């Protein structure tokens, strides 16, 4: 008689991690690749250069195929600081992200084009307190490709919320970045197990480069 698997063994041997269905109309969601997180001069920065290069390719694919692109950034005026006080308390340097500051601007290497919205958020998820879900509904999207920073923070929170809103979720491993390797790798493993399809860059490019179907 075989020995029952422990929860850890089941996790490692593939009891989790099935593939989601591929969406017919994906949206590329670029999470917090503003200068506060991409510029090494900022105390909030990650090592984002490889991710930014991958996102440039993903943007080209999505735009060429006519698939939507949405960006997020974070900023805090006095009222927003009070609202997000508990989050800010964990990362006081977030208060560098003041309205009008250069740190809140999307990295110019992947700047939005006219008509591509930049949603301002106060917390980790791109869905929480924003109109992202309404925008995706209006665009008739059934899936999201989530890129940006950080893998273990805002990317993970956005991916989890996207799944909970009914979207298939793809996370290109080359399009995300974190400050710590263990947090990055552990989050990708957990996302693949429970919330998203974690894929290589060519797979994500093929998905975004396919014209939307009805």
């Amino acid at each position: 008689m075989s020995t029952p698997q422990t929860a850890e063994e089941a996790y490692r041997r593939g009891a989790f991690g099935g593939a989601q269905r591929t969406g017919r109309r994906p949206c590329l969601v670029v999470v917090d690749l503003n200068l506060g997180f991409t510029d090494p001069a900022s105390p909030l920065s990650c090592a984002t250069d490889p991710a930014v290069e991958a996102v440039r390719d993903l943007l080209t694919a999505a735009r060429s195929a006519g698939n939507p692109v949405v960006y997020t950034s974070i900023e805090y005026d006095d009222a927003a600081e009070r609202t997000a006080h508990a989050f800010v308390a964990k990362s006081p340097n977030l208060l560098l992200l003041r309205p009008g500051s250069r740190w809140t601007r999307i990295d110019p290497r992947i700047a939005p084009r006219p008509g591509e919205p930049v949603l301002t958020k106060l917390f980790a998820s791109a869905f929480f307190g924003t109109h992202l879900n309404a925008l995706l509904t209006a665009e008739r999207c059934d899936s999201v490709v989530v890129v940006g920073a950080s893998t273990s923070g805002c990317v993970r929170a956005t991916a989890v919320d996207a799944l909970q809103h009914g979207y298939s979720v793809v996370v290109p491993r080359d399009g995300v970045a974190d400050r710590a390797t263990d947090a990055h790798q552990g989050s990708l493993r957990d996302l693949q197990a429970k919330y998203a399809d974690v894929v290589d860059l060519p797979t994500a490019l093929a998905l975004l480069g396919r014209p939307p179907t009805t």
Side-chain angles (χ1 to χ4, degrees):
M1 184 173 64
S2 61
T3 303
Q5 291 184 3
T6 67
E8 176 70 13
E9 288 170 338
Y11 185 88
R12 291 183 180 279
R13 293 179 184 178
F16 296 84
Q20 298 174 0
R21 65 178 177 83
T22 301
R24 295 186 300 273
R25 183 163 170 77
C27 177
L28 179 61
V29 181
V30 183
V31 178
D32 298 351
L33 288 180
N34 46 289
L35 290 170
F37 297 104
T38 66
D39 187 335
S42 168
L44 294 165
S45 67
C46 303
T48 55
D49 282 352
V52 168
E53 290 302 312
V55 170
R56 288 176 67 178
D57 292 340
L58 292 162
L59 285 166
T60 297
R63 289 163 174 164
S64 297
N67 288 310
V69 175
V70 179
Y71 294 78
T72 72
S73 185
I74 302 179
E75 63 180 50
Y76 297 98
D77 59 16
D78 292 342
E81 179 184 349
R82 291 192 295 272
T83 300
H85 66 93
F87 189 47
V88 172
K90 296 299 294 182
S91 301
N93 282 329
L94 288 171
L95 294 180
L96 292 174
L97 305 174
R98 305 295 289 185
S101 165
R102 72 179 296 271
W103 302 122
T104 67
R105 298 205 309 267
I106 301 300
D107 191 302
R109 293 173 291 177
I110 51 168
R113 289 186 176 177
E116 294 176 345
V118 180
L119 307 182
T120 299
K121 64 187 182 73
L122 305 183
F123 295 95
S125 171
F127 286 87
F128 190 84
T130 76
H131 62 278
L132 177 57
N133 189 48
L135 190 154
L136 294 173
T137 299
E139 291 282 1
R140 298 178 290 104
C141 295
D142 58 358
S143 54
V144 293
V145 178
V146 183
V147 294
S150 65
T151 314
S152 61
C154 296
V155 168
R156 186 182 190 280
T158 298
V160 172
D161 267 5
L163 179 77
Q164 293 173 155
H165 279 82
Y167 299 101
S168 298
V169 186
V170 171
V171 176
R173 63 176 60 89
D174 296 312
V176 295
D178 209 307
R179 298 173 187 85
T181 300
D182 56 349
H184 174 75
Q185 296 295 345
S187 295
L188 288 177
R189 177 185 173 212
D190 200 52
L191 284 166
Q192 169 61 31
K194 293 180 283 189
Y195 305 111
D197 290 347
V198 176
V199 303
D200 59 20
L201 184 59
T203 300
L205 288 169
L207 173 62
L208 283 169
R210 190 175 62 219
T213 59
T214 57

